[in-house]
Amino acid sequence: MQIRFSPSMRSITISSSNGFLDLMKVKVAARHFSYRTLFHTILILAFLLPFVFILTAVVTLEGVNKCSSFDCLGRRLGPRFLGRGGDDSVKLVKDLYKILDQVNSEEILVDQKLPESFGEFLSDMKNNKYDAKTFAVRLKATMENMAREVKRSRLAEQLHKHFAATSIPKGIHCLSLRLTDEYSSNAQARKQLPPPELLPLLSDNFYHHFVIATDNILAASVVVNSVVGSSLEPERVVFHVITDKKTYPGMHSWFALNPLSPAIIEVKGVHQFDWLTRENVPVLEAIENHHGVRNHYLGNHIMGANVSDNPRIFASKLQARSPKYISLLNHLRIYLPELFPKLNKVVFLDDDVVIQRDLSPLWEIDLSGKVNGAVETCKGEDTWVMGKLFRTYFNFSHPLIANKLDPNECAWAYGMNIFDLNAWRKTGIKETYHYWVKENLKSNLTLWKLGTLPPALIAFRGYVHPIDPSWHMLGLGYQEKTDLDSVRKAAVIHYNGQCKPWLEIGYKHLQPFWTRHVKYSNEFIRSCHILEPQ
């Protein structure tokens, strides 16, 4: 007998072996899938089964406590693919969170010996085989200890910066001494500034009058150089440089030997102003002689500091205790109408600014009857520099301050101000200033701590006209992350803060905007080893 299958697999033919063809056909039920489907199914299974095996092996052999990127893929996808429930690592993390949360509310002993590095911490864990809670306690204690050490270091850094900022660099001290000696021995260094024929221009309102009060000769030279160099009309620039009695000979020598023609420069000591008498400035005499004031500014600056202080707040406290705040030069700007009785408008500049743009348009600004054209410091992207409100400067827990001032009132900046002296003379700004300085002395310096700006903020209330912020960019002496593009675009950049550009602690990437105006080829600067930064 022979059996034949049809090609379609739908029938079977059976023939006998005796020669008679017995054509018997048996029909077979229709198939439910094709060869192609069967082939594809086998191919897919051949691909997936090794993959499933690998994933299962990873989970089984390595466990759930290690997790690299490939391992995590195996443990997360493998169990789901195999129909297994959940990931044990998720439960482990949740348990750890729970333990850490419990430990967070517990008091940690601070006198225990703790690891000082991650390596020591890891060795401590392995050697002592701590349970989960002890691990969490040790972790918290170690992190808190390291946080205290970091804060101590930052407070020490601020203290060292303070001492560096309040000291006089050797080169600058040398420059003052050398120029003072030159004043006594060189007639050219003593020549009249300005020459007699130009004296009438000192009170001529056709010219643009700038005022600076400083005892830093090098800083004064940079301010004057940058103003004249940036001016589109240097022949209209008149500079009034005011200094103290001891610095006057050296300051006069510098500008006598380094004229900036066609600009006109006057150098004057405070002792040469007839108006600056004890009778006219009794408050400043009181400041200099008040025992509490002298102790606050000249005493032990470390007292009152502790590791709980925020480093930035500590830095502000130190800056507020700078001896410059009891200097007459620092208060001098409040007497501008009396010192320059014939002038209508002046621009007052601090000695830590650099001018990068022509400032003559300042005289064209309509101050709308106000006295002080200034940049407000409560609006800006950098809230550390441009986030100053009255609450930043004043003690609003004191009833006198709380009853008179608004903590949310916007502050403004000293350092580059256009003053309308005619409008000023019609006000009681000076008297208000004196009153509040006296009140702060009476209250033992509890109304405010930071220098000469707070009484000015009160005295000029209602007399300030905001000007565009591009005129005056602040913070280059304490904001290391100052945006360089903004620095380049600003008309005046101000290194207010401890890190002055002439100090070693100055920010190196911000110093070139200042050092480009220093005459390093000058014989006095070279002889005092004031070197150009490399």
Side-chain angles (χ1 to χ4, degrees), residues 10 63 154 195 254 316 348 350 478 532:
R10 291 181 183 273
R154 293 180 67 186
W254 175 266
S316 297
F348 191 94
D350 279 355
Y478 65 91
E532 185 172 7

Side-chain angles (χ1 to χ4, degrees), residues 64-65 67 72 75-76 80 85-98:
V64 296
N65 292 327
C67 188
C72 287
R75 293 183 198 102
R76 290 175 182 174
R80 291 188 179 94
D87 189 345
D88 291 342
S89 62
V90 175
K91 183 178 182 300
L92 180 65
V93 170
K94 288 181 178 179
D95 291 342
L96 182 59
Y97 286 160
K98 186 176 180 181

